[in-house]
Amino acid sequence: MAAALAAAAGGSAMAQESARRPGVEVVAYQFRIALPDGGDTIRATATVTVRRTLTAGDTLALDLVGLSVDSVGHGAVGAAPSGGRPFEYDGHLLRVPLPPRSRGRSVDVFVFYHGAPHDGLLLGADARGRATAFADDWPDRARHWLPTVDDPADKASVRWRVETPAPWKAVANGLLAASGKSADGRGWWLYEERHPIPTYTFVVGAGRMTVSRHRPARWGRDSIPIEVWAEPEDSAWADSVPFRRTTEIVETMQRLVGPFPYEKLAQVESSTRYGGMENASAIFYAEQPYVARRMGEGVVRHETAHQWFGDAVTERDFHEVWLSEGFADYFDLVVGAALDGDSVLARGMAGLARGYLRSPVVGRPLVDTAETVLTRLLNANSYNKGAWVLHMLRGEIGDTAFWRGIRAYYRDWRDSAVTSAVFQHEMERASGRRLDWFFAQWLHQPGYPELDAAWHWDEAAHRVSIEIGEVQPSDWGLFRLPSVTVELRSAAGVRTRRSFSLSAARDSVSFDLSEPPAEVRVDPDGALLLTAQVRRQP
């Protein structure tokens, strides 16, 4: 999600108990969704393919909120859908008894349902008054229109048949396998996403859209189609301004990290409540910035980076959403630097630091397990500080180890759900170093180092002494800083730099100099997330 608008989006989806249960794994979904010609009622069929262990329970529990379940069935995988099986539904959780002989095997569960979704699938109108339908599922809103195990750790492939009013086009996860018209003149669109993806990225969108095709992104012999979906009035502007280099962005991420994880990439103007929403292979962007002509490339870089981090490699628990948002914020700037020069990264990191330092969450840890309102996790910890964790890690272990670790993390955990501990392990393996201290302080301690530095010039010895202490609130704890740079600038502009390790509440260092410094600066390049006050002692 795009940080600025996500934080301002409002709403407070409370963390809910997921339908996820040990012993029953969803491996695939198939949905047939009939979008209405008018009104807000959908009719739908879901086929949920589950694999059961020999010790699994006898019931499949699916999240589904506020819709009417007409009937439920189950049968062998690939069998024709049929209803008539018993089920229990309380308006929030659908419980389906599974056949006793299916233990150790896969089984299809069919759900026939209808209703007017209160969330998740947004049926409305675009800025020009034309009817549209767009899904918007983060964090746990897929359950308002789809029967799923609505949990980021429970990833599955998905196949869509979207039925639309005749003039509409439809987009969804995966490749378009077929399309056509029914006998009644309505359109239908069949999409298939064969990679397992989290339910919060399940998406369909439909309306009177214009589709343009950009140069495909290449990876060896593979070719990734790149599409831009926009309202007709916005299409030319979208192609020439925010999405002008969408192919180059994908190819830069491939060069830095690894192959694009999906079969295609569609960039879509939509009704999402966020600035952008990283749905796997079909990214949705808020409509208003198109209409106002103020959408920039930064949000495109951010959302595109999510295809690798958040979608392909997914946080197992939303409290570790920095593995998605922090990565996307950092790779937005890294890709920008690769395309336009290192100043993009330097300016961007300085801006992220300013945003974090003035935010109301500095007194809370980045991995904030005490927060129970999921949308409140979209804050300067997950985005700004998360990006800084990556930037400081890169500085700590060096470029070679950092990129080796990033590529191994993506390669080894693609299509999986992970924790911060998994990422730490990959970076330790890549660097050959223990990094528990680094991840413990930056992920689990609140705040950041606040340094107080006092320097003294000894004229007789031609020596400067600097005493530095950490003065942040005591409940933040102390931070270990293995390499802090101090820059001393003379009146004539001559600069001298020294680096030292700070691992105690207060420490001191001394340097021989030919002339007294006129200015002393701590961390002059902004390599660390900290603040420093510097004063001269007589």
Side-chain angles (χ1 to χ4, degrees):
M1 279 154 291
L5 292 183
S12 57
M14 293 298 295
Q16 302 179 49
E17 183 182 2
S18 169
R20 189 165 179 257
R21 297 287 184 269
V24 181
E25 178 190 6
V26 177
V27 296
Y29 294 96
Q30 297 182 55
F31 299 107
R32 180 171 180 166
I33 307 290
L35 299 175
D37 290 288
D40 54 6
T41 297
I42 64 169
R43 295 193 174 276
T45 303
T47 303
V48 185
T49 303
V50 298
R51 182 184 298 122
R52 304 180 68 197
T53 67
L54 292 175
T55 59
D58 295 327
T59 301
L60 170 65
L62 297 171
D63 296 298
L64 185 66
V65 176
L67 299 178
S68 297
V69 177
D70 301 312
S71 65
V72 168
H74 50 66
V77 172
S82 61
R85 300 291 184 177
F87 65 91
E88 295 179 4
Y89 180 53
D90 62 5
H92 292 274
L93 206 62
L94 173 63
R95 294 178 174 85
V96 182
L98 296 173
R101 294 183 180 180
S102 66
R103 290 186 180 181
R105 297 186 290 119
S106 296
V107 61
D108 281 346
V109 174
F110 312 112
V111 181
F112 305 86
Y113 65 103
H114 73 279
H118 295 292
D119 202 352
L121 181 64
L122 311 179
L123 301 168
D126 64 22
R128 283 86 179 186
R130 294 180 292 254
T132 60
F134 289 103
D136 198 33
D137 289 337
W138 199 95
D140 56 358
R141 295 155 59 215
R143 65 188 68 192
H144 290 275
W145 66 293
L146 300 172
T148 59
V149 178
D150 196 13
D151 184 294
D154 206 79
K155 302 170 72 168
S157 63
V158 61
R159 185 174 185 264
W160 300 97
R161 179 185 169 101
V162 185
E163 299 173 2
T164 69
W168 290 14
K169 294 183 177 71
V171 65
N173 309 105
L175 277 179
L176 179 64
S179 63
K181 286 189 176 181
S182 303
D184 59 3
R186 285 169 53 85
W188 59 267
W189 312 78
L190 186 66
Y191 282 88
E192 297 178 346
E193 177 51 71
R194 58 185 176 85
H195 295 278
I197 60 176
T199 51
Y200 71 77
T201 69
F202 281 15
V203 75
V204 299
R208 298 182 185 225
M209 309 287 284
T210 296
V211 184
S212 61
R213 291 171 175 81
H214 288 230
R215 178 176 63 82
R218 305 287 183 182
W219 179 264
R221 295 182 178 180
D222 293 334
S223 178
I224 307 300
I226 308 288
E227 304 169 347
V228 173
W229 291 61
E231 295 169 21
E233 297 85 349
D234 302 327
S235 179
W237 175 83
D239 283 333
S240 60
V241 181
F243 299 109
R244 177 176 62 90
R245 300 192 295 186
T246 185
T247 301
E248 288 84 348
I249 292 169
V250 171
E251 290 178 335
T252 302
M253 280 294 296
Q254 290 191 134
R255 186 172 69 253
L256 291 171
V257 179
F260 184 78
Y262 303 113
E263 299 88 349
K264 69 103 174 30
L265 177 61
Q267 308 275 24
V268 185
E269 182 179 4
S270 79
S271 298
T272 176
R273 68 168 58 167
Y274 306 106
M277 179 58 217
E278 62 269 18
N279 311 298
S281 79
I283 301 171
F284 282 12
Y285 299 87
E287 175 190 40
Q288 190 53 42
Y290 287 74
V291 176
R293 300 295 190 260
R294 58 179 173 81
M295 180 176 166
E297 187 182 86
V299 66
V300 179
R301 297 194 302 257
H302 176 103
E303 300 303 334
T304 302
H306 269 308
Q307 301 296 297
W308 284 259
F309 302 113
D311 294 1
V313 184
T314 304
E315 67 277 12
R316 181 172 290 273
D317 182 278
F318 283 124
H319 291 101
E320 297 194 281
V321 73
W322 84 276
L323 293 169
S324 177
E325 300 301 345
F327 274 67
D329 256 13
Y330 190 57
F331 278 90
D332 159 19
L333 300 176
V334 169
V335 171
L339 294 174
D340 295 321
D342 290 343
S343 62
V344 174
L345 180 60
R347 288 195 306 269
M349 294 308 300
L352 290 175
R354 289 192 296 271
Y356 168 72
L357 293 174
R358 64 173 178 256
S359 77
V361 295
V362 293
R364 302 180 71 96
L366 190 159
V367 179
D368 190 357
T369 55
E371 180 57 77
T372 59
V373 180
L374 296 180
T375 51
R376 291 180 187 167
L377 295 170
L378 302 182
N379 59 38
N381 268 326
S382 299
Y383 288 82
N384 306 44
K385 190 176 184 179
W388 264 99
V389 169
L390 293 175
H391 192 57
M392 291 186 292
L393 178 63
R394 182 178 175 183
E396 177 65 29
I397 65 176
D399 270 8
T400 299
F402 178 80
W403 289 112
R404 181 166 58 239
I406 288 289
R407 290 167 186 144
Y409 173 65
Y410 173 68
R411 181 188 64 243
D412 295 347
W413 299 97
R414 175 177 169 177
D415 296 334
S416 301
V418 300
T419 64
S420 299
V422 169
F423 178 60
Q424 176 183 331
H425 173 74
E426 290 290 353
M427 302 312 287
E428 288 180 332
R429 189 170 67 170
S431 64
R433 294 174 52 185
R434 289 288 302 272
L435 296 169
D436 50 332
W437 65 270
F438 178 91
F439 285 93
Q441 71 182 25
W442 291 113
L443 298 188
H444 302 292
Q445 285 181 214
Y448 55 92
E450 293 182 343
L451 303 185
D452 177 73
W455 62 275
H456 169 73
W457 171 251
D458 186 334
E459 179 65 34
H462 278 248
R463 190 168 184 80
V464 64
S465 299
I466 306 173
E467 183 179 88
I468 298 182
E470 294 191 31
V471 296
Q472 64 269 13
S474 59
D475 59 347
W476 292 6
L478 294 176
F479 289 82
R480 175 180 166 186
L481 303 173
S483 182
V484 180
T485 298
V486 174
E487 181 179 270
L488 306 98
R489 185 182 302 182
S490 72
V494 177
R495 300 182 184 184
T496 302
R497 290 192 171 201
R498 297 287 189 273
S499 295
F500 63 94
S501 174
L502 184 62
S503 57
R506 301 199 71 83
D507 207 344
S508 61
V509 291
S510 298
F511 311 118
D512 291 327
L513 290 176
S514 59
E515 55 183 319
E519 181 185 13
V520 175
R521 299 176 63 195
V522 175
D523 189 35
D525 300 322
L528 300 171
L529 184 60
L530 54 75
T531 60
Q533 292 185 342
V534 181
R535 52 194 168 83
R536 180 174 184 175
Q537 286 183 331

